[in-house]
Amino acid sequence: MNRDHWPLSRRRLLSQAVLLPAGALPLSNALAQFRVEVTGVGMTQIPFSAAGFRGNAQVGQDMAAIVRADLERSGQFRFVDPLPGQLDETSRPDLAPWRARTTDALLTGSVTRLADGRHDVRFRLWDVVKARDLGGLSYPVTTQDLRLAAHRIADYVYEALTGEKGVFATRIAYVSKAGSQHILWVADADGENARAALTSPEPIISPSWAPGGSQLAYVSFESRKPVIYTHDVATGRRRLLANFRGSNSAPSWSPDGSQLAATLSISGNAQIYVMSANGSEPRRLTQSGSIDTEPVFSADGSSLFFVSDRGGSPQIYRMGAQGGNPQRLTFTGNYNISPSPSPDGRWLAYISRVGGAFRLHVMELASGNATALTSTSGDESPSFSPNSRLIIYATRENGQEALMTTTVDGRIKTRLAGARGDIREPQWGPFAR
Protein backbone atom coordinates (compact mmCIF):
# COMPACT_ATOMS: atom_id res chain seq x y z
CA MET A 1 0.00 0.00 0.00
CA ASN A 2 1.29 3.44 -0.90
CA ARG A 3 1.55 5.27 2.40
CA ASP A 4 1.19 8.66 0.70
CA HIS A 5 -2.31 7.71 -0.48
CA TRP A 6 -3.47 5.75 2.56
CA PRO A 7 -5.41 8.60 4.26
CA LEU A 8 -7.77 8.76 1.26
CA SER A 9 -7.75 5.10 0.26
CA ARG A 10 -11.16 4.31 1.81
CA ARG A 11 -12.58 7.70 0.84
CA ARG A 12 -13.66 6.71 -2.67
CA LEU A 13 -12.95 9.82 -4.67
CA LEU A 14 -15.80 11.53 -6.40
CA SER A 15 -15.18 14.82 -8.33
CA GLN A 16 -13.93 18.44 -9.04
CA ALA A 17 -16.11 21.48 -8.50
CA VAL A 18 -18.43 23.25 -10.91
CA LEU A 19 -19.66 25.39 -8.06
CA LEU A 20 -22.85 27.06 -7.06
CA PRO A 21 -22.12 30.80 -7.23
CA ALA A 22 -21.35 32.04 -3.73
CA GLY A 23 -24.49 33.44 -2.18
CA ALA A 24 -26.50 33.10 -5.39
CA LEU A 25 -28.28 29.77 -5.39
CA PRO A 26 -30.15 27.90 -2.68
CA LEU A 27 -30.15 24.13 -2.59
CA SER A 28 -31.94 22.56 -5.57
CA ASN A 29 -34.37 19.66 -5.27
CA ALA A 30 -33.01 16.19 -5.91
CA LEU A 31 -34.32 14.43 -9.01
CA ALA A 32 -34.55 11.08 -7.24
CA GLN A 33 -36.17 10.28 -3.92
CA PHE A 34 -35.12 7.45 -1.63
CA ARG A 35 -36.81 4.13 -1.04
CA VAL A 36 -36.89 3.01 2.59
CA GLU A 37 -36.80 -0.64 3.57
CA VAL A 38 -36.76 -1.65 7.25
CA THR A 39 -35.55 -5.11 8.24
CA GLY A 40 -35.03 -6.84 11.59
CA VAL A 41 -36.88 -7.08 14.87
CA GLY A 42 -35.96 -5.21 18.03
CA MET A 43 -36.09 -6.58 21.55
CA THR A 44 -38.81 -4.31 22.95
CA GLN A 45 -41.04 -2.20 20.73
CA ILE A 46 -43.89 0.15 21.60
CA PRO A 47 -47.06 -0.78 19.68
CA PHE A 48 -48.59 2.39 18.23
CA SER A 49 -51.17 3.31 15.63
CA ALA A 50 -51.78 6.38 13.50
CA ALA A 51 -55.14 7.17 11.94
CA GLY A 52 -55.08 8.82 8.51
CA PHE A 53 -55.04 12.60 8.89
CA ARG A 54 -58.31 14.30 7.94
CA GLY A 55 -57.81 16.37 4.77
CA ASN A 56 -54.63 14.48 3.92
CA ALA A 57 -55.71 13.71 0.34
CA GLN A 58 -55.45 17.37 -0.69
CA VAL A 59 -51.70 17.69 -0.02
CA GLY A 60 -50.09 14.72 -1.76
CA GLN A 61 -48.17 13.65 1.36
CA ASP A 62 -49.40 10.88 3.65
CA MET A 63 -48.56 12.47 7.00
CA ALA A 64 -49.44 9.44 9.12
CA ALA A 65 -47.33 7.19 6.85
CA ILE A 66 -44.28 9.46 7.18
CA VAL A 67 -44.62 9.45 10.98
CA ARG A 68 -45.01 5.67 10.95
CA ALA A 69 -41.88 5.16 8.80
CA ASP A 70 -39.84 7.45 11.07
CA LEU A 71 -40.86 5.64 14.25
CA GLU A 72 -40.38 2.16 12.80
CA ARG A 73 -36.92 3.10 11.56
CA SER A 74 -35.89 3.90 15.14
CA GLY A 75 -36.34 0.23 16.07
CA GLN A 76 -38.37 1.15 19.15
CA PHE A 77 -41.89 1.10 17.67
CA ARG A 78 -44.18 -1.48 16.07
CA PHE A 79 -47.12 -0.31 13.95
CA VAL A 80 -50.64 -1.58 14.61
CA ASP A 81 -53.12 -1.16 11.74
CA PRO A 82 -55.71 1.51 12.63
CA LEU A 83 -59.38 0.79 13.22
CA PRO A 84 -61.84 2.01 10.56
CA GLY A 85 -63.50 5.37 11.03
CA GLN A 86 -62.61 9.06 10.84
CA LEU A 87 -60.57 10.68 13.62
CA ASP A 88 -58.72 13.96 13.91
CA GLU A 89 -57.09 16.02 16.65
CA THR A 90 -60.49 17.23 17.91
CA SER A 91 -61.88 13.69 18.35
CA ARG A 92 -62.20 12.06 21.75
CA PRO A 93 -61.90 8.43 20.67
CA ASP A 94 -63.21 5.42 22.56
CA LEU A 95 -59.84 3.89 23.41
CA ALA A 96 -61.14 0.48 24.57
CA PRO A 97 -61.17 -1.03 21.04
CA TRP A 98 -57.63 0.23 20.47
CA ARG A 99 -56.52 -1.33 23.76
CA ALA A 100 -58.03 -4.62 22.60
CA ARG A 101 -55.68 -4.46 19.61
CA THR A 102 -52.70 -4.13 22.02
CA THR A 103 -52.10 -0.54 20.93
CA ASP A 104 -50.21 1.54 23.49
CA ALA A 105 -50.43 4.90 21.70
CA LEU A 106 -52.68 6.48 19.08
CA LEU A 107 -51.92 9.47 16.82
CA THR A 108 -54.68 11.49 15.16
CA GLY A 109 -54.54 14.69 13.14
CA SER A 110 -55.61 16.83 10.21
CA VAL A 111 -54.28 18.97 7.38
CA THR A 112 -56.18 22.17 6.51
CA ARG A 113 -55.37 24.64 3.75
CA LEU A 114 -55.03 28.21 5.02
CA ALA A 115 -56.06 31.38 3.22
CA ASP A 116 -52.43 32.32 2.53
CA GLY A 117 -51.78 29.01 0.72
CA ARG A 118 -50.00 27.30 3.59
CA HIS A 119 -51.28 24.18 5.38
CA ASP A 120 -52.14 23.90 9.05
CA VAL A 121 -50.98 20.49 10.27
CA ARG A 122 -52.48 19.55 13.64
CA PHE A 123 -52.17 16.39 15.70
CA ARG A 124 -52.99 14.82 19.05
CA LEU A 125 -51.34 11.86 20.81
CA TRP A 126 -53.21 9.48 23.11
CA ASP A 127 -51.90 7.08 25.72
CA VAL A 128 -54.28 4.21 25.01
CA VAL A 129 -53.34 2.13 28.06
CA LYS A 130 -53.95 4.95 30.54
CA ALA A 131 -56.67 6.64 28.46
CA ARG A 132 -54.73 9.89 28.70
CA ASP A 133 -54.35 12.83 26.32
CA LEU A 134 -50.61 13.37 25.74
CA GLY A 135 -51.09 16.68 23.99
CA GLY A 136 -50.62 17.96 20.47
CA LEU A 137 -49.42 20.90 18.41
CA SER A 138 -50.14 22.86 15.26
CA TYR A 139 -47.61 23.49 12.48
CA PRO A 140 -48.56 26.07 9.82
CA VAL A 141 -46.22 25.14 6.93
CA THR A 142 -45.76 25.59 3.21
CA THR A 143 -46.35 22.66 0.88
CA GLN A 144 -42.57 22.23 0.68
CA ASP A 145 -42.36 21.76 4.46
CA LEU A 146 -45.14 19.20 4.88
CA ARG A 147 -42.60 16.38 5.30
CA LEU A 148 -40.73 18.45 7.89
CA ALA A 149 -43.99 18.87 9.83
CA ALA A 150 -44.47 15.08 9.79
CA HIS A 151 -40.90 14.58 11.04
CA ARG A 152 -41.55 17.03 13.87
CA ILE A 153 -44.68 15.11 14.80
CA ALA A 154 -42.62 11.90 14.88
CA ASP A 155 -40.10 13.65 17.15
CA TYR A 156 -42.95 14.69 19.48
CA VAL A 157 -44.31 11.13 19.62
CA TYR A 158 -40.85 9.64 20.12
CA GLU A 159 -39.99 11.95 23.02
CA ALA A 160 -43.42 11.61 24.66
CA LEU A 161 -43.23 7.82 24.65
CA THR A 162 -39.50 7.19 25.24
CA GLY A 163 -38.37 10.25 27.19
CA GLU A 164 -35.57 10.85 24.68
CA LYS A 165 -35.26 13.43 21.94
CA GLY A 166 -36.19 12.29 18.42
CA VAL A 167 -33.93 12.84 15.40
CA PHE A 168 -36.42 12.68 12.54
CA ALA A 169 -36.36 16.43 11.81
CA THR A 170 -32.55 16.48 11.58
CA ARG A 171 -30.65 16.27 8.29
CA ILE A 172 -27.95 14.16 6.70
CA ALA A 173 -25.25 15.01 4.18
CA TYR A 174 -23.70 12.62 1.69
CA VAL A 175 -21.86 12.57 -1.62
CA SER A 176 -22.96 10.87 -4.84
CA LYS A 177 -21.40 10.27 -8.25
CA ALA A 178 -23.43 9.99 -11.45
CA GLY A 179 -21.38 9.88 -14.64
CA SER A 180 -18.72 12.57 -14.35
CA GLN A 181 -20.66 14.66 -11.85
CA HIS A 182 -20.11 14.50 -8.12
CA ILE A 183 -22.67 16.08 -5.83
CA LEU A 184 -22.77 17.00 -2.16
CA TRP A 185 -26.37 16.48 -0.98
CA VAL A 186 -28.28 17.61 2.09
CA ALA A 187 -31.42 15.58 2.85
CA ASP A 188 -33.95 14.85 5.56
CA ALA A 189 -32.90 12.18 8.03
CA ASP A 190 -34.97 9.60 6.11
CA GLY A 191 -33.13 10.45 2.88
CA GLU A 192 -36.08 12.24 1.29
CA ASN A 193 -36.19 15.86 0.13
CA ALA A 194 -32.54 15.75 -0.97
CA ARG A 195 -31.09 18.98 -2.32
CA ALA A 196 -27.76 19.62 -4.00
CA ALA A 197 -25.36 21.84 -2.09
CA LEU A 198 -22.42 21.52 -4.50
CA THR A 199 -21.86 19.95 -7.93
CA SER A 200 -18.37 19.16 -9.17
CA PRO A 201 -16.44 17.14 -11.77
CA GLU A 202 -13.68 16.59 -9.19
CA PRO A 203 -13.72 14.68 -5.87
CA ILE A 204 -15.74 15.94 -2.90
CA ILE A 205 -15.08 14.00 0.29
CA SER A 206 -15.33 14.11 4.08
CA PRO A 207 -18.40 16.32 4.74
CA SER A 208 -18.59 17.38 8.38
CA TRP A 209 -21.49 19.22 10.06
CA ALA A 210 -20.90 22.24 12.26
CA PRO A 211 -22.73 22.33 15.60
CA GLY A 212 -26.26 23.64 15.02
CA GLY A 213 -26.30 22.38 11.43
CA SER A 214 -25.92 25.69 9.59
CA GLN A 215 -22.56 24.86 7.96
CA LEU A 216 -20.69 21.97 6.41
CA ALA A 217 -16.95 21.58 6.03
CA TYR A 218 -15.72 19.31 3.24
CA VAL A 219 -12.72 18.54 1.05
CA SER A 220 -12.78 19.55 -2.62
CA PHE A 221 -10.30 18.59 -5.33
CA GLU A 222 -11.22 21.46 -7.67
CA SER A 223 -7.65 22.82 -7.30
CA ARG A 224 -6.26 19.43 -8.35
CA LYS A 225 -5.32 18.82 -4.73
CA PRO A 226 -7.38 18.34 -1.56
CA VAL A 227 -8.37 21.64 0.09
CA ILE A 228 -10.91 22.33 2.84
CA TYR A 229 -13.94 24.61 2.49
CA THR A 230 -16.71 25.60 4.85
CA HIS A 231 -20.16 25.99 3.29
CA ASP A 232 -23.27 27.80 4.51
CA VAL A 233 -26.08 25.32 3.87
CA ALA A 234 -28.89 27.88 3.57
CA THR A 235 -27.21 30.36 1.22
CA GLY A 236 -24.57 28.31 -0.61
CA ARG A 237 -21.86 30.77 0.39
CA ARG A 238 -18.57 29.10 1.09
CA ARG A 239 -15.12 30.00 2.32
CA LEU A 240 -11.71 28.45 1.71
CA LEU A 241 -10.43 27.32 5.10
CA ALA A 242 -7.26 25.31 4.43
CA ASN A 243 -5.07 25.32 1.33
CA PHE A 244 -1.66 24.75 2.81
CA ARG A 245 1.28 23.07 1.13
CA GLY A 246 0.56 19.42 0.48
CA SER A 247 -2.72 17.72 1.38
CA ASN A 248 -5.56 19.28 3.41
CA SER A 249 -8.16 16.70 4.41
CA ALA A 250 -10.53 15.12 6.96
CA PRO A 251 -12.03 18.24 8.64
CA SER A 252 -13.95 17.82 11.90
CA TRP A 253 -15.64 20.54 13.99
CA SER A 254 -15.15 20.99 17.71
CA PRO A 255 -18.37 20.70 19.75
CA ASP A 256 -18.51 24.47 20.32
CA GLY A 257 -17.90 25.24 16.65
CA SER A 258 -14.85 27.41 17.34
CA GLN A 259 -12.24 25.07 15.85
CA LEU A 260 -11.73 22.40 13.26
CA ALA A 261 -9.33 19.51 13.42
CA ALA A 262 -7.87 18.36 10.12
CA THR A 263 -5.18 16.23 8.52
CA LEU A 264 -2.45 18.35 6.91
CA SER A 265 0.84 17.35 5.29
CA ILE A 266 2.62 20.68 5.73
CA SER A 267 5.52 18.83 7.37
CA GLY A 268 5.69 16.22 4.63
CA ASN A 269 3.64 13.43 6.17
CA ALA A 270 -0.01 13.51 7.25
CA GLN A 271 -0.43 14.82 10.81
CA ILE A 272 -3.29 16.12 12.98
CA TYR A 273 -3.71 19.90 13.31
CA VAL A 274 -6.33 22.23 14.74
CA MET A 275 -7.26 25.67 13.44
CA SER A 276 -9.82 28.36 14.17
CA ALA A 277 -13.13 28.11 12.33
CA ASN A 278 -12.52 31.69 11.23
CA GLY A 279 -9.22 30.71 9.62
CA SER A 280 -5.89 30.84 11.39
CA GLU A 281 -2.43 29.34 11.32
CA PRO A 282 -2.88 25.66 12.13
CA ARG A 283 -1.42 24.19 15.32
CA ARG A 284 0.12 20.73 15.10
CA LEU A 285 -1.09 18.15 17.63
CA THR A 286 0.67 14.92 16.61
CA GLN A 287 4.41 14.57 16.25
CA SER A 288 4.96 11.21 14.61
CA GLY A 289 6.77 9.93 11.55
CA SER A 290 3.67 7.92 10.68
CA ILE A 291 0.41 8.78 8.93
CA ASP A 292 -2.09 10.31 11.39
CA THR A 293 -5.51 11.09 9.93
CA GLU A 294 -9.32 11.18 10.35
CA PRO A 295 -9.43 13.26 13.56
CA VAL A 296 -12.79 13.69 15.27
CA PHE A 297 -13.60 15.40 18.56
CA SER A 298 -15.28 13.62 21.44
CA ALA A 299 -18.73 14.97 22.31
CA ASP A 300 -17.39 16.93 25.30
CA GLY A 301 -14.46 18.35 23.32
CA SER A 302 -11.87 17.00 25.74
CA SER A 303 -10.26 14.51 23.38
CA LEU A 304 -9.68 13.58 19.76
CA PHE A 305 -10.04 10.18 18.12
CA PHE A 306 -7.87 9.57 15.06
CA VAL A 307 -6.33 6.86 12.87
CA SER A 308 -2.60 6.16 12.73
CA ASP A 309 -0.32 3.49 11.33
CA ARG A 310 2.34 4.20 13.95
CA GLY A 311 1.99 0.62 15.19
CA GLY A 312 2.51 -0.84 11.74
CA SER A 313 -1.12 -0.88 10.54
CA PRO A 314 -4.04 1.57 10.62
CA GLN A 315 -5.55 1.62 14.13
CA ILE A 316 -7.72 4.03 16.13
CA TYR A 317 -6.20 6.13 18.90
CA ARG A 318 -7.43 8.74 21.37
CA MET A 319 -5.52 11.73 22.74
CA GLY A 320 -6.30 14.95 24.59
CA ALA A 321 -7.72 17.79 22.53
CA GLN A 322 -4.48 19.73 23.10
CA GLY A 323 -2.35 16.81 21.98
CA GLY A 324 -0.35 14.53 24.22
CA ASN A 325 0.30 10.81 24.47
CA PRO A 326 -2.18 8.89 22.30
CA GLN A 327 -3.88 5.78 23.67
CA ARG A 328 -4.56 2.95 21.24
CA LEU A 329 -8.18 1.77 21.29
CA THR A 330 -8.44 -0.97 18.63
CA PHE A 331 -6.47 -4.21 18.89
CA THR A 332 -8.56 -6.74 16.95
CA GLY A 333 -7.66 -6.91 13.28
CA ASN A 334 -4.93 -5.09 11.38
CA TYR A 335 -7.05 -2.39 9.72
CA ASN A 336 -9.41 -0.17 11.75
CA ILE A 337 -10.44 3.26 10.44
CA SER A 338 -13.17 5.95 10.36
CA PRO A 339 -13.80 6.57 14.09
CA SER A 340 -17.18 8.11 15.00
CA PRO A 341 -17.88 8.68 18.72
CA SER A 342 -21.49 8.84 19.87
CA PRO A 343 -22.82 12.16 21.18
CA ASP A 344 -23.51 10.58 24.59
CA GLY A 345 -19.86 9.51 24.89
CA ARG A 346 -20.69 5.84 25.32
CA TRP A 347 -19.92 4.32 21.92
CA LEU A 348 -17.37 4.44 19.13
CA ALA A 349 -18.43 3.32 15.65
CA TYR A 350 -15.70 2.45 13.16
CA ILE A 351 -14.85 0.30 10.15
CA SER A 352 -12.76 -2.84 10.59
CA ARG A 353 -11.37 -5.06 7.87
CA VAL A 354 -12.35 -8.65 8.62
CA GLY A 355 -11.02 -11.30 6.24
CA GLY A 356 -10.90 -8.77 3.42
CA ALA A 357 -14.39 -7.38 4.17
CA PHE A 358 -14.87 -3.85 5.53
CA ARG A 359 -17.57 -4.04 8.21
CA LEU A 360 -19.20 -1.61 10.61
CA HIS A 361 -18.28 -2.20 14.26
CA VAL A 362 -19.27 -0.47 17.48
CA MET A 363 -17.17 -0.36 20.65
CA GLU A 364 -18.39 0.37 24.15
CA LEU A 365 -15.71 2.82 25.25
CA ALA A 366 -15.94 2.05 28.96
CA SER A 367 -15.22 -1.66 28.50
CA GLY A 368 -13.43 -1.73 25.15
CA ASN A 369 -15.80 -4.47 23.98
CA ALA A 370 -16.44 -4.31 20.23
CA THR A 371 -19.16 -5.91 18.11
CA ALA A 372 -19.62 -6.24 14.35
CA LEU A 373 -23.02 -4.85 13.35
CA THR A 374 -23.10 -6.00 9.73
CA SER A 375 -22.29 -8.95 7.52
CA THR A 376 -21.67 -6.84 4.40
CA SER A 377 -18.23 -6.33 2.89
CA GLY A 378 -18.02 -2.70 1.77
CA ASP A 379 -19.10 -0.56 4.73
CA GLU A 380 -17.66 2.94 5.20
CA SER A 381 -18.10 6.32 6.90
CA PRO A 382 -20.25 5.63 9.99
CA SER A 383 -21.90 8.57 11.73
CA PHE A 384 -24.13 8.63 14.83
CA SER A 385 -27.53 10.28 15.04
CA PRO A 386 -27.52 13.18 17.52
CA ASN A 387 -29.43 11.10 20.11
CA SER A 388 -26.84 8.27 19.84
CA ARG A 389 -29.51 5.68 19.00
CA LEU A 390 -28.81 5.15 15.27
CA ILE A 391 -25.79 4.99 12.99
CA ILE A 392 -25.80 5.94 9.32
CA TYR A 393 -23.17 4.41 7.04
CA ALA A 394 -22.49 3.68 3.39
CA THR A 395 -22.18 0.16 2.06
CA ARG A 396 -22.27 -1.86 -1.12
CA GLU A 397 -25.22 -4.16 -1.80
CA ASN A 398 -25.85 -6.11 -5.01
CA GLY A 399 -23.17 -4.12 -6.78
CA GLN A 400 -24.68 -0.75 -5.81
CA GLU A 401 -23.63 1.85 -3.28
CA ALA A 402 -26.33 2.45 -0.67
CA LEU A 403 -26.94 4.36 2.55
CA MET A 404 -28.02 2.37 5.59
CA THR A 405 -29.03 3.14 9.13
CA THR A 406 -28.75 0.66 11.96
CA THR A 407 -29.64 0.65 15.61
CA VAL A 408 -26.62 0.47 17.92
CA ASP A 409 -27.41 -3.18 18.66
CA GLY A 410 -27.57 -3.95 14.93
CA ARG A 411 -31.10 -5.40 15.13
CA ILE A 412 -32.95 -2.91 12.92
CA LYS A 413 -31.43 -1.83 9.61
CA THR A 414 -32.93 0.60 7.12
CA ARG A 415 -31.82 0.86 3.51
CA LEU A 416 -31.97 4.28 1.85
CA ALA A 417 -31.33 3.35 -1.76
CA GLY A 418 -30.78 6.05 -4.37
CA ALA A 419 -32.40 5.64 -7.75
CA ARG A 420 -29.08 6.00 -9.56
CA GLY A 421 -25.40 6.74 -9.04
CA ASP A 422 -22.99 5.85 -6.28
CA ILE A 423 -23.82 7.09 -2.78
CA ARG A 424 -21.28 7.43 0.03
CA GLU A 425 -19.66 9.58 2.73
CA PRO A 426 -22.81 10.07 4.88
CA GLN A 427 -22.75 12.35 7.91
CA TRP A 428 -25.69 12.76 10.29
CA GLY A 429 -26.33 16.38 11.17
CA PRO A 430 -26.80 17.72 14.72
CA PHE A 431 -29.94 18.94 16.42
CA ALA A 432 -30.78 22.40 15.07
CA ARG A 433 -30.12 25.34 17.37
Side-chain angles (χ1 to χ4, degrees):
M1 179 171 62
N2 186 329
R3 284 165 53 95
D4 291 337
H5 293 92
W6 171 65
L8 297 178
S9 64
R10 287 295 295 158
R11 304 277 192 184
R12 293 172 231 174
L13 304 184
L14 303 176
S15 65
Q16 177 188 0
V18 171
L19 303 172
L20 298 179
L25 294 179
L27 302 179
S28 59
N29 285 328
L31 297 177
Q33 298 290 344
F34 278 68
R35 182 175 68 258
V36 177
E37 301 168 6
V38 181
T39 59
V41 178
M43 289 286 288
T44 302
Q45 295 176 312
I46 300 170
F48 80 102
S49 191
F53 279 34
R54 178 178 53 78
N56 200 107
Q58 67 180 329
V59 298
Q61 296 278 12
D62 190 333
M63 306 299 285
I66 296 169
V67 174
R68 169 187 174 176
D70 283 346
L71 295 174
E72 287 185 316
R73 191 163 41 252
S74 75
Q76 295 180 256
F77 292 82
R78 173 176 59 83
F79 187 70
V80 178
D81 287 333
L83 291 165
Q86 290 291 319
L87 293 172
D88 62 22
E89 78 285 354
T90 65
S91 304
R92 299 202 62 87
D94 177 5
L95 296 176
W98 298 88
R99 257 193 312 274
R101 298 186 67 140
T102 68
T103 304
D104 282 6
L106 170 64
L107 178 70
T108 62
S110 67
V111 183
T112 304
R113 188 172 181 85
L114 300 173
D116 62 5
R118 293 182 301 162
H119 304 278
D120 187 15
V121 181
R122 296 173 177 253
F123 72 94
R124 188 160 299 280
L125 180 64
W126 294 91
D127 182 330
V128 174
V129 176
K130 297 180 179 177
R132 189 157 57 99
D133 179 352
L134 297 179
L137 292 171
S138 169
Y139 296 119
V141 295
T142 64
T143 300
Q144 183 179 353
D145 285 336
L146 281 166
R147 290 191 67 88
L148 177 59
H151 294 321
R152 287 174 174 166
I153 294 169
D155 283 340
Y156 183 101
V157 174
Y158 185 93
E159 186 167 2
L161 299 181
T162 70
E164 297 181 350
K165 201 168 181 180
V167 297
F168 311 115
T170 60
R171 295 180 292 179
I172 60 172
Y174 62 94
V175 182
S176 73
K177 180 179 184 293
S180 62
Q181 293 300 302
H182 311 278
I183 306 171
L184 174 64
W185 297 98
V186 174
D188 292 352
D190 62 355
E192 298 281 1
N193 198 29
R195 301 179 179 190
L198 178 69
T199 300
S200 169
E202 294 294 334
I204 305 167
I205 61 173
S206 305
S208 175
W209 286 96
S214 63
Q215 293 186 78
L216 280 165
Y218 55 83
V219 176
S220 170
F221 281 69
E222 65 200 76
S223 302
R224 305 293 179 177
K225 61 173 280 190
V227 298
I228 300 171
Y229 286 88
T230 60
H231 189 111
D232 186 282
V233 175
T235 66
R237 291 190 180 94
R238 64 182 202 141
R239 181 169 54 85
L240 180 62
L241 182 71
N243 185 15
F244 301 104
R245 180 170 60 88
S247 173
N248 308 263
S249 62
S252 175
W253 296 82
S254 63
D256 65 2
S258 67
Q259 299 182 94
L260 286 95
T263 302
L264 308 177
S265 60
I266 299 172
S267 62
N269 64 319
Q271 296 287 283
I272 308 300
Y273 290 76
V274 292
M275 65 194 81
S276 166
N278 296 322
S280 67
E281 191 67 22
R283 180 166 57 88
R284 184 171 173 176
L285 296 184
T286 56
Q287 306 286 337
S288 77
S290 304
I291 292 174
D292 298 336
T293 187
E294 295 191 301
V296 59
F297 282 93
S298 62
D300 63 4
S302 66
S303 60
L304 277 165
F305 298 85
F306 67 99
V307 176
S308 176
D309 66 350
R310 63 185 61 200
S313 66
Q315 300 291 342
I316 297 172
Y317 293 77
R318 178 171 53 192
M319 67 179 176
Q322 302 303 315
N325 296 322
Q327 170 195 6
R328 181 171 165 176
L329 297 180
T330 52
F331 293 91
T332 302
N334 62 3
Y335 200 103
N336 295 291
I337 60 172
S338 302
S340 177
S342 62
D344 64 5
R346 183 178 177 186
W347 308 100
L348 179 72
Y350 62 97
I351 302 299
S352 182
R353 187 171 63 192
V354 180
F358 292 91
R359 291 180 180 161
L360 173 63
H361 285 62
V362 68
M363 175 188 292
E364 185 180 42
L365 287 168
S367 66
N369 294 330
T371 305
L373 298 186
T374 68
S375 58
T376 43
S377 60
D379 303 341
E380 66 170 48
S381 304
S383 175
F384 271 94
S385 64
N387 68 356
S388 302
R389 285 288 188 170
L390 295 168
I391 303 168
I392 192 170
Y393 63 102
T395 192
R396 192 168 184 84
E397 281 196 333
N398 302 319
Q400 294 289 325
E401 301 285 344
L403 294 186
M404 302 283 294
T405 64
T406 180
T407 50
V408 177
D409 61 8
R411 291 178 177 271
I412 301 289
K413 292 184 175 64
T414 301
R415 183 171 184 263
L416 308 175
R420 66 177 185 270
D422 292 332
I423 304 169
R424 55 193 71 158
E425 300 270 355
Q427 284 288 303
W428 206 313
F431 290 121
R433 289 181 179 172

